[in-house]
Amino acid sequence: MTYDLRLSLGFSPCPNDTFIFDAMVNNKIDTKGITFDYVMEDVETLNIWAEQGKLDITKLSYNTFLHTVSQYALLHSGSALGVGVGPLLVSKKPLDLDKIAGFKIAIPGFNTTANLLLSLAFPRAKNKTELVFNEIEAAVVNGDFDAGLIIHEGRFTYQRKGLTKLIDLGDWWENTMNAPIPLGGIVMRRSFGKELCATVDQIIKNSIAWSWKHYPELTPFVTANAQEMEEEVMRKHIQLYVNDYTSDLGETGTKAITTLFEKAKQAGLLKEEMPASVFY
């Protein structure tokens, strides 16, 4: 089916997202008559917008999806989920995590999955301040915070900035739950219905396939939005966060998301009941 339709789409300027959406927003593949009016923002802004219902389709943290699942349906493609991809808690020097209640911690947003994992692993860690994710390392280096919760390319850059890893919360999740870690997903308004959601889902999958077909080339859409990131870091970022689960969550990925919902509910962090399916 072909549409004559414009849909708003939000994602981050990080290489994994621009890699995913490049082909579909820049007319490199058939989009079935759908024009995607896209905006790029940091993940916490997208989370806030999702809670406001601002966009038709958006990247969001799975933590935010917990609270918007009645409005948005999860697509099977586009997710950041896997092993070894979790957020890291870092500091300038080794610290005793038994004393985490006294730490002043910089986080990339209260609505992020990173913060959800920190809350599940360390419920006593309450002294948190939101910063834009790419400002956290410098804030810890400068001594403004005892520790910082880093995501995205921070995983590849914190050591060269003199920071030390206190805990890998992805490892904590994987070892505790025996499941890959769900970080971010792509959701679409439930009101659009299954047919249109399925069409967009397939377009995203085709867009990912186009990018992999042309890899290791990095298109200007990826490099221009990577904000002074080294090419080696861009490639590591893509290879880590764009994996088999990104093309299709499958049974294992779906189970990991269900587990996240269950654990959040048990911890009293879930604001609304799950619908019959998190998908469309």
Side-chain angles (χ1 to χ4, degrees), residues 83-96:
V83 175
V85 299
L88 308 178
L89 188 66
V90 300
S91 63
K92 286 180 70 173
K93 59 184 180 181
L95 298 174
D96 184 354

Side-chain angles (χ1 to χ4, degrees), residues 87-236:
L88 308 178
L89 188 66
V90 300
S91 63
K92 286 180 70 173
K93 59 184 180 181
L95 298 174
D96 184 354
L97 287 172
D98 288 338
K99 299 177 181 178
I100 197 169
F103 293 3
K104 185 179 180 183
I105 305 173
I107 63 170
F110 285 104
N111 296 306
T112 59
T113 305
N115 184 50
L116 174 61
L117 291 175
L118 181 63
S119 299
L120 291 173
F122 300 101
R124 295 183 299 112
K126 302 289 189 182
N127 189 1
K128 305 172 185 177
T129 301
E130 289 182 318
L131 296 181
V132 177
F133 77 91
N134 58 3
E135 298 176 353
I136 291 176
E137 288 170 301
V140 177
V141 169
N142 293 337
D144 298 329
F145 296 89
D146 300 309
L149 189 59
I150 58 172
I151 57 175
H152 301 321
E153 62 269 16
R155 169 176 282 273
F156 311 115
T157 59
Y158 75 93
Q159 288 177 309
R160 72 179 69 165
K161 295 180 180 179
L163 297 173
T164 185
K165 179 176 69 178
L166 297 176
I167 187 171
D168 184 327
L169 288 165
D171 284 348
W172 172 83
W173 171 269
E174 292 154 22
N175 294 329
T176 305
M177 310 302 173
N178 193 29
I181 173 64
L183 296 173
I186 307 299
V187 299
M188 187 168 172
R189 295 190 198 278
R190 289 186 179 274
S191 58
F192 283 126
K194 292 185 177 182
E195 186 177 273
L196 181 55
C197 287
T199 299
V200 172
D201 209 348
Q202 186 61 52
I203 291 170
I204 294 173
K205 185 176 291 188
N206 294 345
S207 187
I208 295 167
W210 186 95
S211 289
W212 278 128
K213 182 179 179 181
H214 293 83
Y215 194 77
E217 175 192 354
L218 293 177
T219 66
F221 189 68
V222 174
T223 57
N225 289 297
Q227 300 175 344
E228 302 179 8
M229 195 184 299
E230 297 172 8
E231 188 170 303
E232 179 187 0
V233 175
M234 292 183 214
R235 295 186 191 283
K236 286 181 178 179

Side-chain angles (χ1 to χ4, degrees), residues 7 32 41 66 169 182 238-239 246 250:
L7 297 175
K32 304 299 180 182
E41 290 287 349
L66 297 174
L169 288 165
I238 290 167
Q239 290 162 4
T246 311

